[in-house]
Amino acid sequence: MTTKTIEHIGNSVFEERNINPSQLGVSSKNINYWIKEKLIPFASAHQVDKTNKETKSKWVKLNLAQAVWVSIVNELTNFKVPSDKLEELAYMVWQKPREDKFADSVFEHHINNNPNNLPKHEIDKLKSHLKNELLMEHYFRTIINPFTDMVKSALYRSKLPHNLLYVPDTNDYIFHYEPKDLILELNSIYLKKSMISIPIVPILSKILLLEFDNKKNIDLMYLSNVEKQIRDIVVFKRPKIIEIAFEDGNINPITVTEEHKSREQLAEYILKNKIKKGSKLLIDIRTEDHYKISLIKKSN
């Protein structure tokens, strides 16, 4: 797995999203209660407007792993699992790994064994993080645990079964997502007691689909003029490089486009394109009949 892939998966799982609880089948009242009762650790309920004494929005800040956990809590609630057992389960899934410094062991494993062939500067970054106790305690240990590992696995290995197996009578649980025979993982408790199996991939797919639909139908009117200009440059002009200077509420972008032409195509390009004053056209001769042209231009 490449460093870029690892970063992409991490960002997908841990970046905060504005998620409407109703889209998860949960009322705003319930999710705030669950957060207050520590059923959803490390999440913050939306704040009441102290001026108007009301909340105008029902959105709450959750990352993808937390949203999956909210859905699991909701399902277990529907199975009539009492709140005290859910609070204990949440502690075991989220807080206990933090106290046991699970994240530290993950960092140490990558530093000592480097299973993903990370470059030296990435290993050095992990070493630096590991020495920063505040960063580890209040960030990495709150987001790295066996549950979030399973959510990450479900993102890029969706064909494998990813399940939370839970025994309501004893409050025992296990995450099953390795390609092993399930029976080999179950101990006597799971074989003698009633068990709930909650598949993770359908929950994950639902949340990602909701987010995709939200982005697809998004109203771009909220964008400021500056944001619209940047979006138009990046999306429609597709520059190779763009440098943007921002001053007095306006942007002054310099865009660099790059194309490869033959001798005839280069001549045709110069004849047919009006190159604005102040722009620069750089021609890099690659071979006898292969030219790379870079157009550097400022906006009006």
Side-chain angles (χ1 to χ4, degrees):
M1 190 184 303
T2 66
T3 304
K4 187 175 181 180
T5 302
I6 294 171
E7 290 178 352
H8 175 71
I9 294 172
N11 291 335
S12 298
V13 173
F14 299 129
E15 66 182 5
E16 283 191 335
R17 303 150 188 259
N18 286 322
I19 296 176
N20 190 329
S22 65
Q23 293 177 309
L24 304 176
V26 179
S27 70
S28 180
K29 179 181 178 181
N30 277 352
I31 199 170
N32 277 330
Y33 173 75
W34 292 345
I35 292 173
K36 180 181 178 183
E37 294 300 310
K38 299 180 181 178
L39 273 61
I40 310 171
F42 314 127
S44 300
H46 57 263
Q47 301 296 315
V48 174
D49 189 323
K50 297 293 181 69
T51 304
N52 299 323
K53 301 298 181 182
E54 64 179 2
T55 304
K56 297 180 180 179
S57 171
K58 292 184 179 181
W59 298 85
V60 62
K61 292 282 190 180
L62 298 171
N63 61 39
L64 187 59
Q66 289 170 330
V68 173
W69 181 250
V70 167
S71 299
I72 290 173
V73 170
N74 190 43
E75 288 207 34
L76 293 178
T77 300
N78 292 335
F79 279 111
K80 307 302 181 184
V81 178
S83 293
D84 59 336
K85 284 197 170 184
L86 290 177
E87 182 180 350
E88 181 185 348
L89 179 64
Y91 168 81
M92 295 300 296
V93 171
W94 291 92
Q95 180 62 24
K96 187 67 164 55
R98 182 189 189 187
E99 295 173 2
D100 293 343
K101 298 185 178 181
F102 177 84
D104 301 51
S105 66
V106 172
F107 279 31
E108 289 167 356
H109 173 70
H110 284 279
I111 291 170
N112 295 329
N113 302 294
N114 197 8
N116 295 312
N117 296 315
L118 298 176
K120 183 179 182 301
H121 72 274
E122 292 292 342
I123 295 295
D124 290 341
K125 189 186 298 183
L126 291 178
K127 291 179 180 178
S128 176
H129 292 336
L130 196 56
K131 292 178 182 178
N132 189 331
E133 179 61 23
L134 285 176
L135 183 62
M136 294 300 298
E137 176 65 13
H138 297 288
Y139 182 62
F140 288 115
R141 291 174 194 153
T142 68
I143 66 171
I144 299 177
N145 55 54
F147 173 71
T148 59
D149 277 357
M150 179 175 65
V151 174
K152 284 187 288 185
S153 173
L155 275 176
Y156 68 94
R157 298 197 298 176
S158 59
K159 291 184 179 180
L160 290 180
H162 292 76
N163 296 71
L164 167 65
L165 305 177
Y166 175 70
V167 180
D169 190 38
T170 62
N171 222 24
D172 285 299
Y173 71 93
I174 189 172
F175 298 129
H176 172 68
Y177 64 98
E178 293 295 337
K180 301 175 183 176
D181 187 342
L182 179 59
I183 298 300
L184 295 178
E185 291 195 28
L186 300 180
N187 57 35
S188 58
I189 294 176
Y190 292 86
L191 296 177
K192 293 179 181 179
K193 300 285 185 178
S194 297
M195 178 175 61
I196 298 171
S197 175
I198 300 180
I200 301 301
V201 172
I203 294 174
L204 192 60
S205 299
K206 177 184 176 182
I207 295 170
L208 294 175
L209 181 61
L210 288 170
E211 186 174 69
F212 173 78
D213 286 340
N214 287 340
K215 288 181 178 179
K216 184 173 64 176
N217 299 320
I218 197 167
D219 183 358
L220 294 179
M221 290 302 292
Y222 79 92
L223 290 173
S224 69
N225 288 333
V226 170
E227 290 170 319
K228 285 181 181 178
Q229 290 178 63
I230 295 173
R231 177 180 178 275
D232 288 344
I233 292 169
V234 173
V235 174
F236 299 110
K237 296 182 180 179
R238 297 183 181 276
K240 180 73 174 178
I241 301 171
I242 177 170
E243 295 183 2
I244 297 175
F246 184 78
E247 186 177 1
D248 298 328
N250 295 305
I251 65 171
N252 182 26
I254 299 175
T255 60
V256 180
T257 55
E258 187 177 286
E259 296 182 41
H260 293 258
K261 305 282 186 184
S262 67
R263 183 182 304 175
E264 291 77 12
Q265 290 171 333
L266 174 60
E268 184 178 1
Y269 178 87
I270 295 174
L271 289 173
K272 291 186 175 181
N273 286 276
K274 293 182 179 180
I275 300 174
K276 293 182 180 179
K277 183 179 179 181
S279 299
K280 293 182 180 179
L281 182 64
L282 305 179
I283 302 175
D284 183 11
I285 303 174
R286 292 297 180 88
T287 64
E288 186 176 344
D289 193 38
H290 180 194
Y291 301 85
K292 184 185 83 170
I293 58 174
S294 301
L295 179 62
I296 305 172
K297 61 182 179 179
K298 298 180 180 179
S299 66
N300 292 331

